[in-house]
Structures are given as C-alpha cells and as structure tokens.
Amino acid sequence: MELEVRHLRALCAIADAGSLHKAARQLGMSQPSLTTQLRRIENSLGAELFSRERTGCRPTLLGHSVLSRARPLVAGMAVLVSEARAAADRSAGPRLRIGSTASRALAGWLRRLRERLPGTDISLQMDVSANALLRQVAGGGLDVAFVHEVEGCPLRVPAGLDRRVLVEREPQFISLARDHPAAGSQIVELADLAADRWMIDPTVDGEWDGLRRVLGAAGLNPPVLHGDYLTASSLIAVGEAIAPCQPTSVPREDMVVRPLRDDPLGVRLLLFSRPGAYEGAGIAGVGAGAGTDAGADGDGPGGAEVYADLEAAYREAALQAVVYRQWLMRNKSPLLHAPAA
C-alpha cells in the first residue's frame, strides 16, 4: 500500500486524540474503519506505530519518528488547500463560514450578521468538538468558530489563529426533573446530587474530564451515563438522570435549570478566526475594536463587527433565561449592561 496524505492525517489525528474512538469521530469515520486503516498503514511500514492500551493509543518510538515527518506534510497540504479555497472564495462572492458548538446565542448572532451583511452567503456548521472546528478554521474550511473551553481542559489551538474572549468564565448549571428533591432550591448543593445518575456526552471536548475533576474534588463518585444531550433530556424529565447544562438553557414543564453552589463547573467562551478571514465576507476595512485580547490575541479587519454581533446575541440570550439573569444580578455581572456604542 502506498501512503497518502489522508493516511498521514489519520495518524496525526490518532496521536492528537489519544484514542481510536475520538480520532474516528474527528475524521468523520467509524472506529472499525479507522482501526483497519491503521493496521494497513502499520503493515505497509512493517511495525506498530501505536501501542494499544486500556486508556487509549500511545505512539511507539517509530510512531514518534513517523509523526515528526508527517505533521509538516499535513500542515503544508492544509495551507495549500486554504490558499486555494481563499482564491476561489474571492471569485465566488462574499461569504462567511461559521462553525460553532451548541449555544442559544447562535440564532441571534446569525440574525444580526444577515442584517449587517445582506449580500453575504452565511453558512453554519455545528460540531460537539471544539478542537475539530478549530482544525477546520486553520485548514481553511471555516472562517470563524465560536466554541467553549471547559475549565481545566485547554483546547488544542492550531498556530496562527486569532482569538477573542466573549466570556472569561461562564458557570455551568444543572438540569433536573421538576419533581427532583433539589429542584425546589434556588441554588443546588453538589452534595445533594451525590446519589443521582449524571449524564455526560464524552464526545464533547473536555466535558467528562472537567466533570470528573469537579466531582472528585468534592469527594463524590456517582454513577455516570454516557450519551448525547438530546437523549439526556428525555431521561432527566422522568428522573432517571441529571446533567450539566448551559446557563442560557430554557426550562421546560418537566425540567428545571438551577445553578450549583459556588459554581464549580465553568467554561470559557471564545471566538476564533483565521487572519484575513473577514475579507471574504464583505466587511474588510473595518478595524478591530474593543473586545480584542491584549498581547498575542487579536483579529484582522472586520472582526470587531462580527464579535460585537455575537456579544449582543449572547447578552440577549443570557437575559432571556430567568435563572441566569438572576445569577448575573447576584454577581453584578457587566452583561447586565449593554456596551457603549
């Protein structure tokens, strides 16, 4: 078998993810298919590139050597594709390709962007993996990505991306059945949830590691279910599970949203872009403004407007969520006040 760029990309994904399951998801393929592909690559080279352990995959000595040569090739191909796409975009008319993890601010953000850029083709791609979205931005497949970073679990940010911090620390609330014993409290004690089954989506970058760290620090070891949050909602409603949730989440007739005492769970909300990404969206020439991080962080022309629309949309979603609005008031958050024009 002759090695191709896609094979090298698979090797890099396995090394970065640390497991075949996570790497397969990032690559958009099944785990059996990736396992078979890895076996064929190793057979063609005559040795194992990864040691399979109970906790995941680790590169062997040969694997490290191959990866050191593969990464520059994969990066070079990404640059080639990015530059070619950028050239094609310039000839195809203005467009803005947005990637995002789940957020209730998205609807308001897209509405504002369409009003600001009526002649721009605005697309949206959702993914539970922030790291996967950042790789697409770096590779030219997306222009910007709005993602969250779980506290204590830093994202793997490709070199060269511009960054703005929307919220330095957003507390994560808890979603409970309306008849749960703790649902009557305005603020829930973590210890009162020790006997509950927690549900977590392990495919969300850092989600399980962040929760496990917080539970461990509190001396708790509750049963944990792994699954997507759509399934979690149905289980929460009938009292079969509880789950962390975004503070902007809207309660339902059969579910309530409550903050946790001392806000042990938190995420940082970030907006990433490629340098020059906004030039293809028809907003070039607008300088970056307030909201850009000092020092190494920043963005190119047009970023201030895209960021301002996201900031306004997030504030709108935050104030519409009653429980979050109460939390913001207790904590005297600046989100309660619209930024100066």
Side-chain angles (χ1 to χ4, degrees):
M1 182 186 76
E2 184 175 343
L3 289 183
E4 302 174 9
V5 174
R6 63 187 178 92
H7 298 136
L8 302 182
R9 188 177 295 113
L11 295 178
C12 293
I14 295 170
D16 291 340
S19 79
L20 287 167
H21 171 73
K22 291 182 179 179
R25 194 194 173 287
Q26 293 171 6
L27 293 167
M29 59 194 303
S30 68
Q31 182 174 333
S33 296
L34 181 58
T35 300
T36 300
Q37 186 176 95
L38 175 58
R39 188 179 301 114
R40 288 174 177 169
I41 295 171
E42 290 177 328
N43 288 340
S44 71
L45 297 177
E48 287 191 348
L49 301 179
F50 293 90
S51 58
R52 281 70 156 178
E53 304 170 359
R54 185 177 61 83
T55 56
C57 294
R58 298 292 179 269
T60 62
L61 286 176
L62 177 61
H64 280 295
S65 176
V66 171
L67 286 165
S68 69
R69 294 174 177 270
R71 290 188 189 280
L73 295 173
V74 172
M77 179 58 72
V79 171
L80 185 154
V81 172
S82 175
E83 292 178 349
R85 286 174 173 168
D89 290 346
R90 286 191 291 271
S91 63
R95 70 174 181 174
L96 184 63
R97 298 164 300 173
I98 296 172
S100 181
T101 51
S103 173
R104 293 191 64 83
L106 280 176
W109 188 29
L110 290 176
R111 184 184 73 246
R112 287 170 170 82
L113 287 174
R114 294 191 194 285
E115 291 172 354
R116 183 186 297 278
L117 307 168
T120 298
D121 178 16
I122 300 174
S123 62
L124 174 66
Q125 178 177 326
M126 302 294 297
D127 200 307
V128 296
S129 172
N131 286 314
L133 290 170
L134 296 185
R135 286 194 298 272
Q136 289 200 55
V137 175
L142 294 171
D143 298 310
V144 298
F146 174 43
V147 299
H148 69 274
E149 179 182 66
V150 176
E151 196 167 55
C153 304
L155 295 173
R156 297 187 295 273
V157 182
L161 297 189
D162 294 328
R163 183 193 73 168
R164 283 175 177 260
V165 179
L166 178 68
V167 178
E168 185 61 42
R169 189 178 194 274
E170 180 194 68
Q172 297 300 279
F173 290 177
I174 195 76
S175 188
L176 309 160
R178 188 163 289 278
D179 59 358
H180 189 286
S185 303
Q186 293 302 307
I187 300 176
V188 176
E189 303 287 343
L190 195 58
D192 292 341
L193 307 175
D196 286 281
R197 286 179 290 271
W198 289 69
M199 191 156 190
I200 200 78
D201 187 343
T203 63
V204 178
D205 295 328
E207 198 94 329
W208 170 223
D209 291 336
L211 177 61
R212 181 168 49 188
R213 175 181 55 81
V214 168
L215 293 175
L220 303 179
N221 187 29
V224 176
L225 306 176
H226 288 172
D228 64 89
Y229 286 123
L230 181 61
T231 303
S233 294
S234 61
L235 295 179
I236 293 168
V238 296
E240 284 296 314
I242 63 173
C245 66
Q246 297 177 11
T248 50
S249 300
V250 177
R252 307 183 337 189
E253 290 185 359
D254 50 6
M255 288 169 48
V256 299
V257 173
R258 294 288 183 265
L260 291 167
R261 177 75 65 187
D262 299 326
D263 307 310
L265 294 169
V267 302
R268 186 163 57 156
L269 303 182
L270 305 163
L271 181 66
F272 286 93
S273 63
R274 287 180 294 104
Y278 301 110
E279 295 176 6
I283 51 177
V286 180
T292 303
D293 290 347
D297 296 334
D299 58 7
E305 293 193 350
V306 173
Y307 176 87
D309 285 340
L310 176 58
E311 186 179 40
Y314 180 82
R315 180 177 177 274
E316 179 181 63
L319 297 183
Q320 286 175 350
V322 176
V323 177
Y324 192 22
R325 185 171 70 244
Q326 294 170 344
W327 183 95
L328 294 170
M329 293 175 65
R330 287 195 303 271
N331 289 273
K332 298 180 174 59
S333 170
L335 273 174
L336 293 169
H337 311 289

